[in-house]
Amino acid sequence: MKLKNLFLTLSLTVAGMAALNTQAAEPEFTFKLHHFLTPLSATHQKMMVPWADKVMAESHGRIKIDIYPAMQLGGKPPQLFDQARKGVADIVWTVGGYTPGRFPKAGAFELPFMPASAEATSMALQEYAETEMQDELSDVHLLAIHTHAPGALHSRTKLIKNAADMEGLKMRAPNKAMAEAFGIMGGSPVFMPVPALPSALSKGVVDVAVMPFEVVNPLKIQQLAPNHTEIKGERGLYTQFFLFAMNKKAYEQLPADLQKVIDNNSGIDEARRLGHEMDLAELPGYAASHAENNPFYTLTPEETANWKRMMQPVTDDWIADMTDDGKDGAALYQKAVNLITKYEKVVSGS
């Protein structure tokens, strides 16, 4: 009888421990993370999934994050920021430039010939956002803000080798600043989220996909726009910025220890990680384009200087517009330049 009771006690103890373990494994908070790119994209696989896995692991299962790529929760990419603001999604990753005028101070980083590597530029932008953009980001809890690697031109019909080659071409404009720049160069800018590009290129709605190589392979741009023009040198042609943001109430409802888990996966270290992944994500796009035997062209230093000169009014106008709006446009621009230079040295170790 004593042996039977011992077995019964052990069984109850094991069952109780199993129940406790099951209970501990149940998440206390489940968050929906929404973005617009495909599950095959580097953003999804290398940036969002590792982040979610790390947060879930560091919370010991108390936080669960379900990721919804390709706008699976509904809406269109320009609506993502408002989805985070309103709580339609708990966390979003989106392009700031999809809502022109909403984040004017960040526009300094989207001006022509501003970006260095995505890693350095992202760290610069994160510090800039923390010190200069609190008002523009007050509706959400910012996890990180970052950029992609400097973009290139991918043309349907011809290699673009100089400014004259843009005359009359319909060019996908990634942001307001580059739309103005391409207009100056004789192109016809067309605003368009990245996911819409394959259809637009195949139908001739757009002649030139202006984008980094990072999204070339997932969208098969190397087949639709096989002529690649790169702009190299001290600074790339352009970049655009991305917001990784959380609904304020979703963050604030967390107890302090779980807020710390989120905080430990936010800020400048996270911006650097995201930027670094963006730099690495360029490589498969290059490889896929070379595999198609596509022609590549690098703008000459002389022509690059010409483009800089032609596009300078875009920067001048941005500074003037910010100043007219009551901000010190020149100081904001110079701060962005200085921060990029600062973090270039950090990344290079110099």
Side-chain angles (χ1 to χ4, degrees):
M1 180 64 68
K2 289 182 179 179
L3 188 60
K4 183 177 179 181
N5 288 340
L6 178 60
F7 281 133
L8 180 60
T9 301
L10 286 171
S11 297
L12 289 172
T13 301
V14 170
M17 290 174 66
L20 284 171
N21 287 337
T22 301
Q23 186 175 6
E26 285 294 317
E28 297 173 32
F29 301 91
T30 299
F31 296 131
K32 295 175 288 188
L33 193 168
H34 200 199
H35 69 84
F36 63 88
L37 289 178
T38 73
L40 299 176
S41 65
T43 295
H44 182 83
Q45 295 183 357
K46 302 293 186 180
M47 295 161 63
M48 298 296 101
V49 170
W51 183 87
D53 287 347
K54 191 165 181 283
V55 167
M56 290 189 288
E58 291 179 6
S59 74
H60 303 291
R62 294 169 64 196
I63 295 175
K64 183 174 185 287
I65 296 174
D66 295 323
I67 305 178
Y68 297 87
M71 300 305 297
Q72 288 178 357
L73 292 179
K76 297 180 179 179
Q79 298 170 324
L80 279 165
F81 183 80
D82 280 329
Q83 289 186 357
R85 184 175 64 84
K86 296 176 182 178
V88 175
D90 302 297
I91 303 166
V92 303
W93 178 88
T94 187
V95 176
Y98 282 174
T99 50
R102 193 163 196 167
F103 311 102
K105 291 177 186 173
F109 286 77
E110 295 185 318
L111 295 170
F113 295 99
M114 279 293 284
S117 69
E119 184 175 354
T121 309
S122 296
M123 295 175 78
L125 178 54
Q126 181 71 31
E127 180 175 331
Y128 180 93
E130 290 173 0
T131 56
E132 301 293 345
M133 293 177 60
Q134 302 96 326
D135 54 340
E136 296 178 6
L137 297 167
S138 61
D139 289 339
V140 296
H141 178 79
L142 182 67
L143 300 172
I145 187 168
H146 71 98
T147 71
H148 61 58
L153 310 182
H154 313 273
S155 174
R156 286 193 316 127
T157 57
K158 65 179 180 179
L159 276 172
I160 295 171
K161 297 182 178 182
N162 51 54
D165 287 339
M166 286 192 210
E167 187 70 36
L169 293 180
K170 298 185 289 290
M171 306 187 68
R172 181 254 172 174
N175 54 51
K176 180 175 180 288
M178 293 313 297
E180 293 175 9
F182 294 141
I184 290 172
M185 306 283 277
S188 298
V190 180
F191 281 106
M192 184 174 297
V194 162
L197 270 171
S199 175
L201 286 166
S202 64
K203 295 175 182 176
V205 174
V206 168
D207 299 311
V208 182
V210 181
M211 60 198 300
F213 274 89
E214 169 251 326
V215 281
V216 163
N217 197 33
L219 299 181
K220 304 304 177 190
I221 301 300
Q222 73 273 20
Q223 297 170 2
L224 296 165
N227 303 283
H228 310 288
T229 300
E230 298 182 85
I231 298 87
K232 298 183 178 180
E234 184 181 347
R235 292 286 183 269
L237 175 62
Y238 87 98
T239 192
Q240 62 183 7
F241 71 96
F242 302 85
L243 290 161
F244 191 25
M246 188 172 186
N247 175 266
K248 263 194 160 182
K249 290 182 180 178
Y251 175 80
E252 290 168 354
Q253 72 177 326
L254 293 171
D257 60 332
L258 291 184
Q259 285 187 355
K260 190 172 188 305
V261 171
I262 298 295
D263 295 344
N264 288 344
N265 292 280
S266 303
I268 200 156
D269 288 340
E270 182 60 17
R272 182 174 192 172
R273 183 187 76 85
L274 296 174
H276 179 68
E277 290 295 343
M278 281 289 194
D279 285 328
L280 293 179
E282 294 285 280
L283 303 178
Y286 278 108
S289 301
H290 283 296
E292 296 282 337
N293 294 314
N294 289 351
F296 279 72
Y297 183 79
T298 298
L299 219 61
T300 66
E302 294 77 17
E303 188 63 18
T304 300
N306 184 43
W307 286 29
K308 286 182 180 180
R309 179 187 58 77
M310 293 181 71
M311 294 181 180
Q312 182 60 39
V314 177
T315 297
D316 297 339
D317 288 348
W318 183 86
I319 291 172
D321 288 344
M322 294 298 289
T323 302
D324 289 346
D325 199 36
K327 304 171 181 68
D328 191 338
L332 289 170
Y333 172 76
Q334 194 58 51
K335 182 167 187 174
V337 170
N338 292 344
L339 285 171
I340 292 171
T341 301
K342 168 186 172 179
Y343 284 107
E344 271 191 299
K345 295 176 181 177
V346 171
V347 169
S348 67
S350 61

